[in-house]
Amino acid sequence: MAKALATGSRPSSTTGAAPAAAVLSWTQSLLLAAFGAAFLALAFPPVRLSVLAWIALAPLCLVCLRAASGGQAFWSGYLAGAIFFGADCPWVAYTVRHYGGLSRSEALLVFGLFLALVGVFFALFTWIGYWLCRLAPLPWLTLPALWTAIEFLRTYVPMGGFPWDLVGYSQADHAGFMLSVTVAGVYGAGFLIALENAIVADAASHFSGWFLQAPRPGARTAWAWPVAPAITWFVVVGFASFPFDPPRLQPTTLRAVLVQPDANPNAVWSDAVFARYLNRMAKLSQPGPRLGDDAPALVLWPESPAPLEYGPEPQLQASVAGLTRKNKAELLFGETALLHPSARPSQQDPINAARLIQPDGLPGPRYAKRHLVPFGEYVPLPSWLRRWTGIHAMVSQVGDFVPGHKMTLFHLPSAAGPSGGSGHPYTFGALICYESIFPALARQEVHAGAQWLVNLSDDGWYGNSAARPQGLLMARVRAMENRRWLLRDTNNGITAIIDPFGRVRARLAMGGVAALHGHFAARSGQTFYTEHGDWLPWLCTIFVGLMALAGGLRRRLRRV
């Protein structure tokens, strides 16, 4: 048994006998990983063949089951990660080159480092999965739990996490299947997809199709393959095919104006240019005829390259106060501010924030962005390491923002609210740019009482890449998870109003100066996911740990 484990063979889940030889060659393992990664990337924008997600992870699971060694499994997974993120996130190279002041070769180097970093997650899946398949039973259940645990890990590390295009997002257009996110978030949808893929891979491992070198020694015949995974597969596929038509949502009594200014990231902001920008924003912000005295208006200005800072800018203060007083509307806008404006320059601590202006023209609460973009809004390296590696020259144009540390909820007054005209009956939360890809942030705001969500973003840094529709896709799932309307206002696309079932009810075209007038509603009540959070990925993490522990103990006992 010890020899079999050393050579990387997998014990039979019924007899415990080790196969005499591994099945996959290096070429086969790498090809499987490459095809799986390519299929997964095609499931997301811009191609968006979502059905491919249901077969994309099976090759990676098959690598876990049939690789010749842990090293083979690791490097096959690493290749898959590099291919997936290379195809899914080419906008990283575009952004650092066009707005980071880097040459083509420097941008490619940064992109290569990015792929080397994020590719590790796929490598961890295949490497840990390889050993789990040899130490523990039920690979068709252990592998999807492992995949979910690693996606959860990717949400928080490294550098605050990068949960971009988790596999569950690929099914956002399938309303029936996406009912799962109200129970377990996007991780629940991802777990079910990984479960179906793992069952397919386990079946292929048992049946030994034409791609494999030889049948796995000790493999059961088709009729003897376990009943449980077969039934589970039919249940998952049946649920994924569930014909659910989301209900029509009425009434939508609140009106919003989402301004898309299309501000140039490379503009020189002289006083005259800034004045013209404010005049244009004020004209675009007119809410039009009200729906009645009981219909408050909310105007949104996005995160943008314009140097908006409420405190030291009398011109900005006068403009927004006049706008809100004239229209009796609240204004939420993105600003770059200083936490300590009177301190020395090195201690002023710039923040990326959302500022509320009340209908009386007075400033309201301000929310400071909690999840900053690494190498965009800050450099996650100590100064000595920047100098030693020479990276300080490459990131000299990167901001040095500090993160916020608390959630902030905003209030919208209404004469028709439950307080009978006094107080603040409506409550909403804000996410700034990149924060919309973190499930926990939106969930925390809704759990604390937010009746709808706002996402202010500047996606112009991505160019005309797939990052914009990908960002919209992930924002739609935030709305689904918490059953809340989400107002997504961007600098130059994609600006949209999203309903609680993830449907885009209104949107603007990418690029161009425009304003989106639309309706939405305040909602109460909370989904199971909103109430209980990320219970599933934690459960999967514990399950994987217990399976590894049980497998290790079984191995030790067999050596005795």
Side-chain angles (χ1 to χ4, degrees):
M1 181 64 185
K3 181 178 179 181
L5 286 168
T7 58
S9 55
R10 177 190 166 196
S12 169
S13 57
T14 55
T15 66
V23 173
L24 291 178
S25 67
W26 270 92
T27 300
Q28 291 171 330
S29 182
L30 293 172
L31 282 174
L32 278 171
F35 277 112
F39 288 161
L40 187 59
L42 291 172
F44 292 98
V47 179
R48 206 164 175 184
L49 294 175
S50 61
V51 68
L52 291 180
W54 295 96
I55 60 172
L57 301 184
L60 293 176
C61 293
L62 198 56
V63 168
C64 296
L65 289 161
R66 305 299 294 265
S69 66
Q72 183 188 95
F74 179 87
W75 291 112
S76 297
Y78 217 134
L79 174 66
I83 291 174
F84 171 71
F85 287 108
D88 194 58
C89 306
W91 44 266
V92 171
Y94 173 90
T95 301
V96 297
R97 185 184 178 202
H98 286 80
Y99 301 110
L102 305 186
S103 66
R104 182 189 296 271
S105 58
E106 289 174 331
L108 289 176
L109 174 61
V110 170
F111 188 49
L113 293 173
F114 165 76
L115 296 182
L117 180 64
V118 294
V120 169
F121 292 102
F122 280 62
L124 284 175
F125 171 71
T126 50
W127 182 67
I128 298 174
Y130 167 86
W131 288 110
L132 282 175
C133 288
R134 283 146 186 82
L135 291 175
L138 304 177
W140 61 273
L141 191 56
T142 305
L143 289 177
L146 175 63
W147 177 268
T148 304
I150 288 179
E151 284 201 326
F152 191 50
L153 176 68
R154 179 154 70 92
T155 303
Y156 295 99
V157 297
M159 297 176 295
F162 186 69
W164 193 272
D165 279 353
L166 304 179
V167 69
Y169 290 120
S170 65
Q171 307 303 304
D173 289 333
H174 303 280
F177 178 72
M178 293 305 284
L179 291 171
S180 59
V181 304
T182 64
V183 177
V186 69
Y187 306 107
F191 174 80
L192 293 177
I193 296 169
L195 177 60
E196 185 273 343
N197 276 271
I199 293 172
V200 169
D202 196 44
S205 180
H206 280 86
F207 302 154
S208 301
W210 65 269
F211 183 81
L212 304 178
Q213 291 177 348
R216 181 169 62 84
R220 288 161 289 201
T221 57
W223 59 267
W225 191 58
V227 174
I231 294 175
T232 302
W233 185 87
F234 280 107
V235 170
V236 172
V237 172
F239 176 65
S241 308
F242 179 60
F244 174 69
D245 186 18
R248 184 179 180 86
L249 298 173
Q250 292 292 344
T252 51
T253 56
L254 304 180
R255 171 173 293 195
V257 180
L258 287 68
V259 179
Q260 181 174 289
D262 195 19
N264 184 353
N266 297 316
V268 177
W269 293 95
S270 64
D271 290 343
V273 172
F274 188 59
R276 287 195 297 270
Y277 176 81
L278 291 179
N279 288 334
R280 182 170 73 246
M281 295 295 285
K283 290 179 181 179
L284 290 168
S285 301
Q286 300 306 313
R290 294 171 64 87
L291 298 177
D293 292 338
D294 61 343
L298 176 64
V299 179
L300 301 178
W301 291 3
E303 177 190 43
S304 80
L308 300 181
E309 184 180 1
Y310 183 83
E313 290 286 350
Q315 189 177 12
L316 174 61
Q317 295 172 14
S319 177
V320 298
L323 171 67
T324 56
R325 288 170 183 158
K326 176 182 177 182
N327 297 299
K328 298 181 180 179
E330 282 198 341
L331 169 67
L332 185 72
F333 68 93
E335 70 165 346
T336 300
L338 300 175
L339 276 180
H340 310 291
S342 59
R344 291 181 299 175
S346 61
Q347 299 175 341
Q348 289 178 334
D349 292 339
I351 57 172
N352 188 351
R355 164 81 74 172
L356 184 74
I357 305 299
Q358 300 171 137
D360 58 7
L362 297 177
R366 180 178 68 186
Y367 166 68
K369 185 178 181 182
R370 290 176 283 171
H371 266 277
L372 301 177
V373 181
F375 296 103
E377 293 172 318
Y378 79 107
V379 179
L381 298 173
S383 57
W384 65 267
L385 186 57
R386 298 186 211 180
R387 293 191 298 270
W388 181 70
T389 59
I391 200 172
H392 66 284
M394 298 172 61
V395 297
S396 58
Q397 298 190 39
V398 173
D400 196 18
F401 290 84
V402 297
H405 298 291
K406 65 177 182 178
M407 172 181 60
T408 300
L409 295 181
F410 302 97
H411 303 290
L412 184 67
S414 168
S419 63
S422 63
H424 300 97
Y426 296 133
T427 303
F428 65 98
L431 305 167
I432 299 177
C433 186
Y434 180 68
E435 290 186 319
S436 64
I437 75 173
F438 293 91
L441 295 183
R443 187 198 72 80
Q444 290 166 4
E445 291 181 342
V446 175
H447 189 261
Q451 295 170 290
W452 70 87
L453 296 169
V454 169
N455 180 205
L456 305 180
S457 185
D458 180 8
D459 294 348
W461 305 101
Y462 303 136
N464 294 318
S465 69
R468 297 195 202 187
Q470 289 169 357
L472 177 64
L473 186 73
M474 290 180 277
R476 289 174 56 199
V477 176
R478 297 291 84 79
M480 295 182 206
E481 288 171 334
N482 300 284
R483 286 290 184 256
R484 290 293 189 268
W485 287 83
L486 190 147
L487 312 178
R488 188 170 195 268
D489 188 27
T490 69
N491 177 39
N492 60 358
I494 300 172
T495 296
I497 296 176
I498 304 165
D499 78 10
F501 290 89
R503 296 172 294 192
V504 176
R505 300 294 287 266
R507 61 176 284 176
L508 295 175
M510 288 194 295
V513 179
L516 178 62
H517 295 251
H519 297 79
F520 66 101
R523 287 174 63 91
S524 58
Q526 299 188 349
T527 66
F528 187 89
Y529 175 70
T530 304
E531 283 280 359
H532 301 284
D534 296 323
W535 62 271
L536 179 64
W538 281 114
L539 182 63
C540 288
T541 303
I542 294 170
F543 176 76
V544 168
L546 290 176
M547 294 297 282
L549 180 61
L553 290 175
R554 186 175 65 173
R555 176 183 176 184
R556 180 180 295 272
L557 290 173
R558 286 178 177 173
R559 282 179 169 180
V560 177

